[in-house]
């Protein structure tokens, strides 16, 4: 009998640390784990919490260039020798001692998650320390040194998976994963993100549909700044659900960057924790519908490290454990006291942003019709027009 959820965590993952002023503060991982513990998520029957070793070079080489791995190792030993040509020593990806081991450990955690799900050891797996979707084969980018997602997907392909669907709901385009599998029709990459006209990395357009031998394998939904819950959820359901159903993957891999939130300092959406939880629930249901529950869920971006990241990824972990937490549940006082001790301010009081008076989340389904006056609908339709026919789907009705 497989475990319900395999969760990757131990304190060693906080060594992925770009320094005290960098937005990607490792404390967000520590606070997530503490909140999972405080709410009893790690103690749910069927949940197994595991650490990870440093991934060997042979595993990294399934995706990353040998000279790039060598450059990361060199910068890890002496950060002053970081080479900008490899994206190292930059403002986004400053070099730090131990960078190789810290980054390779994240890779190992994601590959272990993929292996456990594929081999039937666990139904679901969560690695909220992973989801580093910007790293390229030979270059660091956007706070990402090694692309743990791509290595995990490649492991699945190398061990018998015929089709893997990857869904990325981070506010930034999942460019690294898309580029790595651009010419591989076995991998469907779907990225729902803020338009590159307003946000890094400036890519991810509806017309970007994959290489010549893999047309339709890349899907991009480029949404306008200022988007809130209803539009964001409408976009996810109007594009992700029908395409994943049509693709019929063996495994669903999802990236849950929570920088779509209204309080995130690096982007321009206005999404709530409640909507992020709803998206995770929908993707969980989709995994059960299309691939017998084989689901690997990863973290990603998210730079409001107290009020947003811990709650969103605790919800994600609880959903994978089949023990979802209501958004009305109070945040445990011992966790809030720890936050106040560390940050000099209390943490959030509830597990959601919306008050009970707000009622349940509502979003307009695509079945209610296309509104050409809506900027969100025009973005959705641009993607459906570019990609749906390549999967035998109708742009209006499927």
């Amino acid at each position: 009998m497989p475990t319900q959820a395999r969760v990757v965590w131990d304190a060693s993952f906080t060594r992925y640390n770009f320094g005290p002023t960098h937005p990607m503060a490792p404390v967000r991982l520590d606070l997530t784990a503490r909140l999972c513990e405080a709410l009893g998520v790690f103690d749910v029957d069927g949940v197994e919490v595991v650490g990870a070793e440093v991934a060997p070079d042979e595993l990294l080489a399934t995706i990353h260039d040998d000279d790039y791995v060598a450059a990361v190792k060199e910068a890890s030993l002496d950060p002053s020798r970081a080479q900008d040509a490899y994206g190292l020593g930059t403002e986004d990806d400053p070099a730090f001692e131990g960078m190789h081991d810290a980054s390779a450990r994240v890779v190992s955690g994601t590959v272990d998650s993929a292996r456990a799900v594929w081999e039937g050891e666990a139904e679901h797996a969560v690695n909220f320390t992973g989801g580093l979707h910007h790293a390229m084969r030979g270059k660091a980018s956007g706070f990402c040194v090694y692309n743990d997602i791509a290595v995990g997907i490649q492991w699945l392909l190398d061990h018998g998976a015929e089709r893997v669907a990857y869904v990325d709901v981070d506010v930034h385009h999942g460019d690294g994963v898309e580029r790595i599998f651009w010419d591989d029709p076995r991998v469907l990459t779907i990225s729902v993100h803020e338009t590159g006209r307003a946000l890094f990395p400036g890519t991810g357009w509806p017309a970007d549909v994959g290489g010549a031998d893999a047309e339709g394998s890349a899907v991009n939904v480029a949404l306008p700044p200022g988007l809130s819950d209803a539009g964001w959820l409408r976009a996810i359901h109007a594009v992700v659900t029908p395409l994943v159903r049509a693709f019929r993957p063996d495994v669903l891999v999802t990236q849950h960057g929570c920088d779509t939130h209204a309080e995130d300092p690096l982007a321009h959406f206005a999404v709530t924790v409640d909507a992020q939880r709803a998206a995770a629930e929908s993707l969980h249901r989709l995994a059960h519908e299309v691939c017998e529950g084989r689901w690997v869920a990863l973290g990603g971006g998210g730079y409001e490290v107290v009020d947003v990241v811990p709650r969103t990824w605790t919800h994600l972990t609880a959903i994978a454990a089949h023990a979802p937490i209501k958004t009305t549940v109070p945040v445990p006082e011992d966790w809030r006291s720890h936050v106040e001790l560390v940050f000099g301010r209390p943490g959030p009081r509830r597990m959601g942003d919306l008050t009970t008076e707000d009622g349940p989340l509502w979003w307009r389904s695509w079945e209610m019709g296309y509104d050409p006056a809506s900027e969100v609908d025009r973005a959705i339709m641009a993607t459906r027009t570019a990609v749906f026919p390549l999967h035998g789907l109708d742009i209006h009705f499927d």
Side-chain angles (χ1 to χ4, degrees):
M1 187 74 178
T3 57
Q4 180 55 55
R6 186 176 178 91
V7 182
V8 176
W9 170 252
D10 67 44
S12 65
F13 287 97
T14 61
R15 295 173 192 161
Y16 191 90
N17 187 352
F18 290 119
T21 63
H22 196 279
M24 197 163 169
V27 71
R28 68 196 191 126
L29 305 176
D30 176 72
L31 290 178
T32 298
R34 286 176 182 271
L35 187 54
C36 284
E37 290 169 343
L39 285 164
V41 176
F42 287 168
D43 297 322
V44 171
D45 286 346
V47 172
E48 180 184 17
V49 181
V50 299
E53 299 298 322
V54 175
D57 290 0
E58 309 88 80
L59 185 58
L60 298 175
T62 61
I63 290 297
H64 292 291
D65 299 338
D66 291 342
D67 61 330
Y68 174 61
V69 174
V72 174
K73 286 185 171 182
E74 182 179 28
S76 298
L77 294 172
D78 182 356
S80 70
R81 298 177 68 180
Q83 300 178 57
D84 184 70
Y86 291 105
L88 302 171
T90 64
E91 184 177 352
D92 278 359
D93 294 277
F96 60 92
E97 289 186 9
M99 179 172 60
H100 167 78
D101 283 4
S103 303
R105 192 182 304 278
V106 174
V107 171
S108 184
T110 294
V111 171
D112 177 71
S113 297
R115 181 204 57 76
V117 167
W118 183 243
E119 294 181 350
E121 189 175 321
E123 183 173 47
H124 308 323
V126 179
N127 181 13
F128 54 74
T129 77
L132 305 179
H133 60 170
H134 293 306
M136 300 293 177
R137 288 189 183 275
K139 191 171 185 178
S141 177
F143 312 163
C144 306
V145 178
Y146 294 136
N147 197 313
D148 64 291
I149 308 165
V151 180
I153 292 173
Q154 188 63 52
W155 187 96
L156 289 167
L157 297 173
D158 291 343
H159 289 80
E162 296 181 358
R163 292 179 304 279
V164 178
Y166 169 67
V167 177
D168 187 321
V169 297
D170 193 290
V171 77
H172 301 90
H173 175 222
D175 58 337
V177 183
E178 176 188 276
R179 180 52 51 187
I180 288 165
F181 295 108
W182 182 255
D183 294 302
D184 194 332
R186 299 174 297 171
V187 182
L188 175 69
T189 64
I190 307 177
S191 179
V192 182
H193 52 266
E194 184 176 349
T195 173
R197 294 187 179 89
L199 193 67
F200 174 91
T203 54
W205 309 108
D208 299 334
V209 297
D213 295 324
E215 288 191 344
S217 67
V219 181
N220 288 288
V221 190
L223 296 165
L227 194 68
S228 57
D229 290 357
W232 188 64
L233 291 172
R234 177 168 167 81
I236 291 171
H237 285 271
V239 174
V240 173
T241 304
L243 282 173
V244 172
R245 284 173 175 165
F247 188 67
R248 296 178 294 109
D250 298 315
V251 184
L252 180 63
V253 179
T254 57
Q255 195 264 25
H256 297 263
C258 45
D259 39 11
T260 51
H261 196 273
E263 295 180 17
D264 194 274
L266 300 188
H268 316 100
F269 277 5
V271 171
T272 64
V273 165
D274 307 62
Q276 292 171 339
R277 177 189 183 277
E281 281 194 313
S282 296
L283 292 168
H284 171 232
R285 287 194 299 269
L286 191 59
H288 279 288
E289 177 186 341
V290 302
C291 52
E292 300 178 341
R294 288 185 289 269
W295 182 37
V296 179
L298 308 171
Y303 310 102
E304 207 314 307
V305 301
V306 174
D307 290 341
V308 178
V309 176
R311 289 188 295 163
T312 297
W313 290 348
T314 295
H315 279 304
L316 175 66
T317 307
I319 289 165
H322 285 195
I325 299 166
K326 293 182 178 180
T327 56
T328 53
V329 167
V331 172
E333 285 301 322
D334 58 344
W335 186 88
R336 297 183 75 242
S337 297
H338 174 75
V339 167
E340 188 150 21
L341 180 66
V342 174
F343 291 91
R345 65 178 179 88
R349 292 187 175 277
R350 298 166 60 255
M351 285 298 291
D353 293 325
L354 305 177
T355 66
T356 53
E357 290 76 19
D358 292 322
L361 278 173
W362 184 88
W363 50 273
R364 196 165 61 91
S365 71
W366 192 255
E367 287 77 9
M368 296 179 71
Y370 166 55
D371 178 6
S374 163
E375 192 175 5
V376 172
D377 275 21
R378 292 197 301 272
I380 294 170
M381 182 56 88
T383 301
R384 288 174 67 103
T385 300
V387 178
F388 272 38
L390 299 171
H391 290 267
L393 299 174
D394 187 280
I395 65 171
H396 293 286
F397 300 113
D398 284 320

